[in-house]
Amino acid sequence: AMTHSTKDCVERPRKKGARYSGKDIKPDEVTVDMAYDYAGKRDHWAQFDPAAHMDKIRAHEAEAEVRRKAAQQKKLGELAARERKRERRGKGKEGGEGDSATDTDTDGSVGPSDDEKVDEAEQVIIGQDVKAPAGKAKASVRNLRIREDTAKYLLNLDVNSAYYDPKTRSMRDNPLRGSALADASTFAGDNFQRATGDAVQMAQLQLYEFEAYEKGQSMQMNADPTTVEMMNKIYREKKEKLKDTRSNKILEKYGGQQHLAAPPKELLFAQTEDYVEYDRSGGLRAGKEKAVAKSRYEEDVLEQNHLAVWGSHFDTTTFRWGYADDHSTLRNSYSTGAAGRRAREMAAA
């Protein structure tokens, strides 16, 4: 050919070239002008002809049509064989009964016999395109609903309601959350179904199986669920027993059993059911005044004839605490009253 050199030729090399022998001269290739830039050199669809691809599609459709006709002929043959077998069986029964069938009193309405009842699994639709090979199990689709039930995505048409995934047919959140129909609805979301019944226990068993596998134990919940459940039960019992034993040893060594009992919730959250009503000025109008929380130490204990407790006064000149009645900063000193306070003010001035 004139479009390529001998080095680039893909034909079988000859002992004597065609240009010298003049035999079996190959046609020239079709040359297409291409843009030899960066994008043109890397264009995977360059010189692509859609007409050639349509030829492949037609060939594939013709092959599929031949297969469909062959499958249809096979189904027709199976149906014809089944009908012939049923007819032979019916003739045998008629010959065995004889004249007894003529003596039977009938009302004219005869129902179908057992032979005429064809099983639904044996009924074959002529012309049906069966893509799955013979002997293969049918694929089951999850999350199918009854036609009488309302679809999940039609329970609440608000665009801001629960998200519906059309690929998996799942709606995890409750579509009627916060509405008046939430209690009357039978669907509360897929997450609600996963958190009820034995779903939580199944998830715990799977988690135990994963943890046991990481520690070297070979267990399979799908193949032997009874063993996994029994091993999990033994593990939980041993864990509780070990926990109780450890806590008992700590209590025996250090004590503190009385601190394990939880105090009442009224003390924990400082909340009671007592009704108290106040006026605008903050005074008590109705109910019982809330008790002031006290510390573990003794309070309001007057000593040495004082009218105020220690720490009720702070002297800004000496930066010391004292008594408010006589401004004394000496602890456990005897009270001198107003006269002692005046004397200390005059001395400080």
Side-chain angles (χ1 to χ4, degrees):
M2 302 297 295
T3 54
H4 63 269
S5 61
T6 306
K7 182 180 179 181
D8 298 332
C9 185
V10 296
E11 296 289 339
R12 181 181 61 85
R14 309 175 190 179
K15 184 177 181 181
K16 194 173 184 180
R19 59 182 298 184
Y20 302 107
S21 62
K23 299 178 180 180
D24 195 12
I25 299 177
K26 299 294 182 182
D28 296 338
E29 294 91 350
V30 178
T31 57
V32 180
D33 295 335
M34 297 177 58
Y36 291 99
D37 53 355
Y38 183 84
K41 292 180 180 179
R42 292 159 179 81
D43 187 8
H44 296 280
W45 295 94
Q47 301 183 9
F48 174 72
D49 187 8
H53 183 66
M54 293 302 299
D55 295 339
K56 294 182 180 180
I57 294 178
R58 296 188 190 96
H60 179 74
E61 290 177 351
E63 183 179 357
E65 182 68 18
V66 172
R67 290 180 179 177
R68 189 187 66 81
K69 289 182 178 180
Q72 185 174 355
Q73 292 294 332
K74 183 179 179 181
K75 293 174 185 177
L76 289 174
E78 292 177 356
L79 286 177
R82 194 176 292 114
E83 289 293 336
R84 289 194 298 268
K85 185 176 180 181
R86 190 178 295 111
E87 290 177 0
R88 288 196 300 268
R89 190 180 302 173
K91 290 180 179 179
K93 285 188 177 182
E94 291 177 359
E97 291 178 358
D99 299 334
S100 61
T102 59
D103 299 335
T104 305
D105 186 13
T106 58
D107 56 355
S109 59
V110 179
S113 62
D114 296 338
D115 297 331
E116 295 177 357
K117 295 180 181 179
V118 183
D119 189 8
E120 294 182 358
E122 297 180 358
Q123 294 179 357
V124 182
I125 301 176
I126 305 302
Q128 182 182 6
D129 188 11
V130 181
K131 296 182 179 180
K136 203 167 187 178
K138 295 182 179 180
S140 60
V141 183
R142 298 182 304 166
N143 297 333
L144 292 181
R145 63 178 178 88
I146 306 175
R147 295 178 63 89
E148 288 78 6
D149 295 342
T150 307
K152 303 175 184 177
Y153 49 84
L154 296 179
L155 294 176
N156 190 356
L157 300 180
D158 188 7
V159 295
N160 296 324
S161 62
Y163 173 72
Y164 176 76
D165 187 7
K167 184 176 182 179
T168 59
R169 297 188 182 95
S170 61
M171 181 178 287
R172 296 174 177 83
D173 198 4
N174 187 2
L176 300 175
R177 183 187 300 275
S179 62
L181 301 176
D183 298 335
S185 177
T186 58
F187 179 74
D190 295 334
N191 287 340
F192 177 78
Q193 298 177 359
R194 294 190 184 100
T196 56
D198 296 337
V200 179
Q201 184 179 2
M202 183 67 68
Q204 293 177 357
L205 287 178
Q206 288 181 348
L207 181 61
Y208 170 74
E209 178 191 354
F210 297 153
E211 293 177 353
Y213 179 78
E214 292 178 356
K215 294 180 181 179
Q217 296 183 5
S218 179
M219 290 186 295
Q220 180 57 252
M221 189 176 65
N222 296 331
D224 195 1
T226 306
T227 303
V228 178
E229 187 172 358
M230 292 302 296
M231 293 293 292
N232 186 22
K233 182 179 179 181
I234 297 173
Y235 167 74
R236 285 189 280 106
E237 291 177 354
K238 289 184 177 180
K239 183 178 179 181
E240 292 295 332
K241 186 176 180 180
L242 181 61
K243 183 179 179 181
D244 296 339
T245 305
R246 186 179 302 172
S247 60
N248 292 334
K249 287 182 179 179
I250 294 175
L251 291 175
E252 291 175 0
K253 185 175 182 179
Y254 298 102
Q257 181 69 31
Q258 66 276 9
H259 300 296
L260 296 180
K265 294 184 178 180
E266 292 81 4
L267 298 180
L268 288 175
F269 303 104
Q271 297 177 355
T272 60
E273 298 295 333
D274 298 335
Y275 175 75
V276 181
E277 185 177 352
Y278 298 91
D279 55 9
R280 277 189 166 184
S281 60
L284 182 64
R285 177 179 295 177
K288 185 179 179 181
E289 181 68 28
K290 185 178 179 181
V292 180
K294 294 185 178 181
S295 64
R296 57 184 296 185
Y297 302 100
E298 296 182 358
E299 296 182 358
D300 299 335
V301 178
L302 302 179
E303 56 186 10
Q304 300 296 334
N305 201 24
H306 282 283
L307 301 178
V309 297
W310 169 260
S312 58
H313 171 68
F314 181 75
D315 192 354
T316 57
T317 57
T318 59
F319 292 95
R320 297 178 64 182
W321 293 99
Y323 298 96
D325 54 351
D326 60 351
H327 291 187
S328 175
T329 58
L330 183 62
R331 182 68 185 272
N332 293 330
S333 62
Y334 193 79
S335 175
T336 56
R341 182 174 56 186
R342 287 193 299 269
R344 288 184 177 84
E345 290 177 357
M346 293 175 60

